[in-house]
């Protein structure tokens, strides 16, 4: 694996656009990449020693294109800890984006609904997270050029971007849930007892990604918006077994709503890249 700056230089040579806003497409979200106008594409395979994406439905490439005339960078195919990557590899795309010039990012994923008032097919705005992965991407020597040793996580999910997302959803008449996201390593789904425990801990949704990227983004000063698509009820809630296909199918059925919401939010973020944070 080469340095984030190395990959960012490569992308700058390949892309004519210079977006400041990015989106990481989680499970079921990858087809959103196809909706970018005039996308320029760099598959991970063209980036020397870059980890390749192995999860189903994650093609593994960077796209640069426009949404409503606004340039955006898009990661189609995230790297998951459960694939066997190190935490440093999992957060590499975030650091590459930072080095490329990205100021704010939407992190998306599909998640199981823990909150009994939430339903599959809804979108949850992430207001905070619980790191239940048992590790942290910042463990190890701190790179002071990237960020400080002990980054504050009080407002990990930017209040400014949360409000921007609420305003967009309201304009589009798309109901937006809000809650605390809990990240597990996977790849096994949770047990019903774990889900009951997570509910007691204050979690509203659960999945196997996103937390490491949020931590790395906060560390290097990239403003984060987190959106979870609730693809299913968490384990034990409905009594039915869970499957990866169910997750992708639910996303497919809600594709038009997800595309509308993401396009609107991305374009607004791209037009308002300024963060009040350092
Ligand atoms: N649990 C963990 N990860 C997930 C789920 C879930 O219920 N749904 C989508 N990703």
């Amino acid at each position: 694996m080469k340095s984030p700056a190395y990959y960012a230089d490569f992308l700058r040579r390949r892309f004519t656009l210079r977006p400041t806003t990015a989106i990481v497409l989680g499970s079921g979200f990858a087809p959103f990449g196809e909706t970018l106008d005039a996308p320029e594409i760099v598959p991970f395979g063209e980036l020397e020693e870059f980890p390749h994406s192995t999860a189903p439905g994650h093609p593994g490439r960077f796209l640069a294109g426009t949404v409503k005339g606004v340039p955006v960078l898009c990661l189609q195919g995230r790297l998951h800890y459960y694939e066997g990557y190190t935490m440093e590899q999992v957060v590499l795309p975030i650091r590459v984006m930072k080095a490329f010039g990205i100021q704010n990012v939407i992190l998306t994923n599909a998640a199981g609904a823990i909150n009994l008032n939430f339903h599959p097919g809804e979108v949850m705005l992430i207001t905070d997270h619980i790191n239940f992965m048992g590790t942290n991407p910042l463990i190890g020597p701190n790179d002071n050029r990237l960020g400080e040793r002990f980054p504050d996580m009080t407002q990990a999910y930017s209040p400014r971007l949360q409000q921007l997302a609420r305003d967009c959803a309201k304009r589009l008449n798309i109901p937006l849930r809000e809650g605390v996201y809990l990240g597990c390593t996977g790849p096994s789904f949770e047990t019903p007892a774990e889900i009951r425990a997570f509910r007691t801990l204050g979690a509203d949704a659960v999945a196997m990604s996103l937390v490491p990227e949020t931590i790395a983004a906060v560390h290097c000063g990239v403003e984060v918006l987190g959106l979870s698509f609730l693809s299913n009820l968490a384990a034990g809630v409905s009594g039915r077994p869970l499957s990866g296909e169910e997750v992708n199918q639910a996303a497919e059925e809600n594709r038009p709503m997800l595309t509308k919401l993401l396009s609107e939010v991305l374009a607004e973020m791209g037009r308002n890249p300024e963060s009040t944070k350092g």
Side-chain angles (χ1 to χ4, degrees), residues 27 109-114 181-182 184 186-190 195 205-209 229-235 242-244 247:
S27 296
N109 71 359
I114 295 180
Y181 168 80
L182 185 146
C184 291
S188 55
F189 282 109
E190 304 71 37
I195 294 302
V206 61
M208 309 171 189
S209 62
F229 170 66
L230 304 175
S231 56
N232 58 282
L233 296 171
L242 304 182
S243 72
V247 170

Side-chain angles (χ1 to χ4, degrees), residues 26-67:
S27 296
F29 282 91
F32 178 78
E34 273 35 272
T35 70
L36 297 194
D37 295 319
E40 305 172 306
I41 301 173
V42 175
F44 289 174
E46 291 183 22
L47 298 164
E48 206 179 330
E49 296 171 28
F50 201 86
H52 52 273
S53 181
T54 71
H58 290 262
R61 49 193 202 168
F62 284 96
L63 306 179
T66 59
V67 173

Side-chain angles (χ1 to χ4, degrees), residues 38 55 78 90 94 97 133 136 168 195 200 207 213 226 248 259 264 266 274-275:
R78 70 150 43 90
V90 168
I94 296 294
M97 287 178 171
M133 298 181 91
N136 187 299
C168 289
I195 294 302
T200 304
E213 289 143 308
N248 286 322
T259 300
E264 183 78 6
L266 261 180
E274 282 312 310
S275 159

Side-chain angles (χ1 to χ4, degrees), residues 112-126:
I114 295 180
N115 186 317
L116 297 171
N117 295 316
F118 293 0
H119 305 103
E122 296 178 332
V123 177
M124 187 184 91
L125 174 66
I126 301 177

Side-chain angles (χ1 to χ4, degrees), residues 191-205:
T191 64
E194 286 166 346
I195 294 302
R196 287 193 298 276
F198 295 163
R199 191 176 296 124
T200 304
L201 290 178
D204 297 293

